[in-house]
Amino acid sequence: MRLKEGIYVSGRFISTHSVALVLPMHIAYMPERGGSVHADAASSRPGGGFTTLCAAAAMGVPTAAASPLGTGPNSFAVRQQLVEAGVEVLTPELVGDIGVVIQLIVEDGSMRSVVTAGVESEPSRGALASIELREGDVVHVAASDMTSAHAASELSEWAASLPPFVTLVVSVSPAVTQVPVEAWEVIFPRADVVTMNSWEASTLAGILDANRHGSTIRTYMRPDAATVRRVGERGCELQKVADAPVISIPAFQSRIADTAGVGDTHIGEMCAGLAMGYDLETACLMANAGAALAISHESALPVPTREQVENVLETGVVTNILR
């Protein structure tokens, strides 16, 4: 499969997914309670929303960051790296700096994270409302940024008010248990696509059922909205509308070196496909190709290039992304 030459829509990929500084630590095993383990720390790098934005920009899609950055040195460095990656920054800087994410990565590539908050935890509906949206824009809101009552209110209410000519993609995120239920009630009725992995889907389903007995994720969504569930080595599952059959989008086999950032890469690639004018099924296949490339090397960076994604789509073979 060859991708279209050039971008045929006027829209952009805009993400409110916050950018944080990531400190990956490689460990032999996850210690039990009260135990300890030696870690080999790699150099720090930007992550979270940075990966999502760069993945979309690397596909040639006009891309913009709508999450807060600060005046501190980490924010300054990240802002420069975003610009170098071709990402426009839409929000004014805040006094302070972005937070830090400590990643514990075991030998099989699985990961757990510890997150400290910075200015990225202070989204402003006023600042978001000042963004001039265009027909065809694909807007991404990550639930990982809705873990406080203030942020949940600001982001969900802004997203709920988006004009109909904008496609809203909501990612559930591993922080699903920390998101106020009210935020799901506000944002899901406006969402055009909800994307999540298997654990996030199961966890959120339990939360929503406890809030309103017998309800599901679909209960809170419009019938014409789609869900995408990432199922690891099996790729992802797509349900285009309520009550429609679930479509399995196959994965591309790849050596698993590191799963850090693979979900962020998948989301960025999928949103890029939508912004390029592809249907959601094709965009999910593109995302699976990008995810297979992402897990083939340590760390989420560098993100896959358009040429590398095209090569996987054409050949079905994942080559070393670092070559």
Side-chain angles (χ1 to χ4, degrees):
M1 169 188 168
R2 293 290 297 180
L3 300 180
K4 297 174 184 176
E5 295 298 328
I7 307 301
Y8 293 95
V9 294
S10 59
R12 303 155 293 172
F13 171 56
I14 300 172
S15 179
T16 65
H17 190 185
S18 62
V19 178
L21 193 69
V22 176
L23 180 59
M25 294 187 176
H26 297 270
I27 56 178
Y29 59 90
M30 199 66 65
E32 297 180 359
R33 181 177 180 179
S36 65
V37 64
H38 177 77
D40 294 322
S43 58
S44 61
R45 56 177 173 76
F50 184 88
T51 304
T52 310
L53 290 160
C54 289
M59 296 298 290
V61 172
T63 301
S67 62
L69 290 173
T71 56
N74 293 338
S75 296
F76 179 79
V78 165
R79 187 178 288 104
Q80 284 189 312
Q81 292 177 71
L82 285 170
V83 172
E84 290 170 3
V87 178
E88 182 183 2
V89 179
L90 300 178
T91 52
E93 63 183 18
L94 303 178
V95 176
D97 214 341
I98 54 176
V100 176
V101 178
I102 299 174
Q103 292 179 339
L104 301 177
I105 305 166
V106 297
E107 291 179 342
D108 65 359
S110 61
M111 178 196 69
R112 295 181 185 178
S113 298
V114 180
V115 182
T116 65
V119 297
E120 76 283 351
S121 64
E122 304 172 22
S124 163
R125 185 177 178 184
L128 292 168
S130 68
I131 297 172
E132 184 178 346
L133 298 170
R134 307 168 188 165
E135 185 171 356
D137 281 347
V138 177
V139 172
H140 166 233
V141 175
S144 56
D145 297 316
M146 299 196 299
T147 56
S148 71
H150 168 76
S153 175
E154 296 291 282
L155 284 171
S156 64
E157 291 178 11
W158 173 73
S161 68
L162 289 174
F165 56 77
V166 168
T167 298
L168 174 61
V169 176
V170 177
S171 58
V172 173
S173 94
V176 54
T177 60
Q178 302 173 54
V179 177
V181 172
E182 294 78 14
W184 303 119
E185 294 176 325
V186 171
I187 200 170
F188 272 173
R190 174 59 186 83
D192 297 293
V193 182
V194 173
T195 179
M196 57 209 133
N197 64 27
S198 296
W199 179 85
E200 293 162 358
S202 175
T203 303
L204 179 57
I207 291 170
L208 297 180
D209 177 63
N211 179 60
R212 190 189 307 170
H213 183 65
S215 67
T216 66
I217 296 172
R218 274 286 181 193
T219 304
Y220 292 76
M221 297 173 61
R222 301 193 320 273
D224 62 336
T227 60
V228 175
R229 187 164 69 101
R230 304 185 299 278
V231 287
E233 61 184 16
R234 292 187 288 113
C236 65
E237 296 175 346
L238 166 65
Q239 187 181 41
K240 293 182 178 180
V241 297
D243 300 324
V246 174
I247 302 170
S248 294
I249 313 295
F252 297 89
Q253 295 304 308
S254 176
R255 179 183 71 92
I256 301 177
D258 189 348
T259 60
V262 64
D264 296 322
T265 302
H266 194 279
I267 294 163
E269 298 284 350
M270 182 187 72
C271 291
L274 294 176
M276 295 168 75
Y278 288 104
D279 61 79
L280 185 54
E281 187 171 347
T282 303
C284 285
L285 188 65
M286 293 167 58
N288 285 357
L293 287 160
I295 65 172
S296 68
H297 64 94
E298 290 188 359
S299 107
L301 304 175
V303 295
T305 65
R306 175 171 170 151
E307 180 182 5
Q308 289 165 334
V309 171
E310 275 191 341
N311 184 64
V312 173
L313 292 172
E314 286 184 352
T315 67
V317 177
V318 177
T319 55
N320 191 337
I321 194 173
L322 298 180
R323 288 178 182 171

